[in-house]
Amino acid sequence: MPRKPFVPGAALVVAAALAAGLTACTDGSDTGDETGDAKSGGTASSSPAAEPGRYQTLPEACGLPARGTLRGMLPGGDQQLSRAEAKKIYDGQPDITYDTDRRVGCRWTRETTAGTRHLSLDIQRVVSYDAAVSDDDKAQGIYDSKELAAQIPPGGSGSPSPATPSPSATKGKGTDKGGGATANSSAGKSVDGKGKAPSGSPSEASDPSADPSTDPSADLSDSTAPRVLDDLGDAAFLNDKLVTADSGVHRDVTVVFRTSNVIVTLTYDQWSTDKTMLPDSQELQDKARSLAGELSESLSE
């Protein structure tokens, strides 16, 4: 048979077409690889989530303090209680919350002829929704804001930094009226940390942002002055204010501490019906700190 003639131009066209096809396949394959690398690369480059806090739930607040502790903090003198009265006082009144795994609280009150004592407990479990911020760090930030708002001077337990009270404050006066739960008047005036009326006492209740260095109640040479506590939880502070108002004289002691991602706020106050027998700072602080230590141990179990 006669051979077909060889056409060089046709061979070149076929070769070019094959090369174009191979190039197209290569481009499509590269695009797919780039897409996969972007996803896997994004996963590989993302930082691991910050550590969760130690606590995932919260205990029932009213059941945390021991009954003996409550009896000591809510004394009744010679007053005898019936079983029903004792149960009502020492069982406490739980706070209404919508998520008991995030926040719980309880309140106790006892009224006597010598005055009224109130104890309240607030426990908050902090959860960070930022993968780069741990629950503990988030809780520390909230704790720091509380300490800043309370204007606690820096320093360790019982050794706050020195400050000089202002001599320009006005004199405060106590009244001989019984205190009660509704007696938190904004017309309060500070009294010194030992329960004695100072020569000058500004109205700190009406100006919570006042500089503590101008508050005669913040006698920082006194071991009962507001201060940082270095022996409670991961971070802690104590605040102490003696306030006079038209409805009575009361001392408010607050202890705030953080343990991992839980923040505990304990408030203990006493209203006096006798202006010559002002609430004792040392007694209230000792009892508040003792309960705070008890709570810290309970949460650590």
Side-chain angles (χ1 to χ4, degrees):
M1 293 179 63
R3 295 180 179 179
K4 293 183 178 180
F6 175 73
V7 182
L12 291 175
V13 172
V14 172
L18 289 173
L22 290 173
T23 301
C25 293
T26 303
D27 291 343
S29 176
D30 288 345
T31 302
D33 290 344
E34 288 176 2
T35 303
D37 290 345
K39 290 181 180 179
S40 60
T43 302
S45 62
S46 61
S47 301
E51 288 292 326
R54 172 179 179 179
Y55 301 97
Q56 302 301 311
T57 60
L58 290 175
E60 195 276 313
C62 292
L64 278 179
R67 183 60 61 95
T69 301
L70 291 174
R71 290 194 186 99
M73 299 185 77
L74 305 169
D78 297 331
Q79 181 183 3
Q80 298 297 319
L81 296 175
S82 67
R83 180 173 298 182
E85 289 172 333
K87 179 177 176 57
K88 180 179 179 180
I89 290 173
Y90 300 127
D91 281 0
Q93 179 65 43
D95 291 347
I96 298 175
T97 59
Y98 298 98
D99 187 350
T100 55
D101 282 337
R102 293 294 300 276
R103 195 160 205 155
V104 294
C106 193
R107 301 174 186 276
W108 298 262
T109 300
R110 185 165 189 183
E111 298 180 7
T112 68
T113 56
T116 301
R117 296 203 188 196
H118 305 92
L119 171 65
S120 67
L121 182 62
D122 176 83
I123 306 175
Q124 177 185 4
R125 183 175 70 90
V126 179
V127 177
S128 172
Y129 293 101
D130 185 345
V133 179
S134 70
D135 292 348
D136 284 21
D137 288 342
K138 179 72 173 179
Q140 182 64 38
I142 295 174
Y143 166 86
D144 289 341
S145 67
K146 290 178 177 289
E147 183 178 312
L148 181 64
Q151 298 184 322
I152 303 299
S157 176
S159 57
S161 300
T164 303
S166 170
S168 62
T170 59
K171 184 177 182 180
K173 296 184 293 181
T175 60
D176 189 14
K177 297 184 180 180
T182 60
N184 292 307
S185 169
S186 62
K189 298 179 181 180
S190 300
V191 185
D192 75 0
K194 294 181 180 296
K196 298 178 182 179
S199 59
S201 180
S203 176
E204 60 87 25
S206 61
D207 184 14
S209 63
D211 184 346
S213 65
T214 66
D215 181 3
S217 70
D219 177 7
L220 299 182
S221 63
D222 185 356
S223 62
T224 61
R227 61 198 181 277
V228 170
L229 303 176
D230 58 10
D231 57 353
L232 180 64
D234 296 317
F237 71 83
L238 180 149
N239 203 7
D240 186 329
K241 295 292 183 182
L242 185 64
V243 179
T244 62
D246 292 340
S247 54
V249 182
H250 62 98
R251 180 177 293 282
D252 305 325
V253 173
T254 303
V255 176
V256 179
F257 70 90
R258 176 185 74 83
T259 174
S260 186
N261 61 319
V262 164
I263 298 175
V264 177
T265 302
L266 184 162
T267 304
Y268 184 38
D269 68 72
Q270 178 182 356
W271 284 82
S272 175
T273 57
D274 184 351
K275 64 182 179 181
T276 64
M277 297 293 291
L278 299 180
D280 181 74
S281 178
Q282 192 69 61
E283 179 207 353
L284 297 182
Q285 288 195 22
D286 287 348
K287 290 181 176 181
R289 290 190 64 178
S290 178
L291 175 56
E294 182 181 314
L295 297 174
S296 179
E297 290 181 4
S298 296
L299 291 170
S300 298
E301 292 177 353

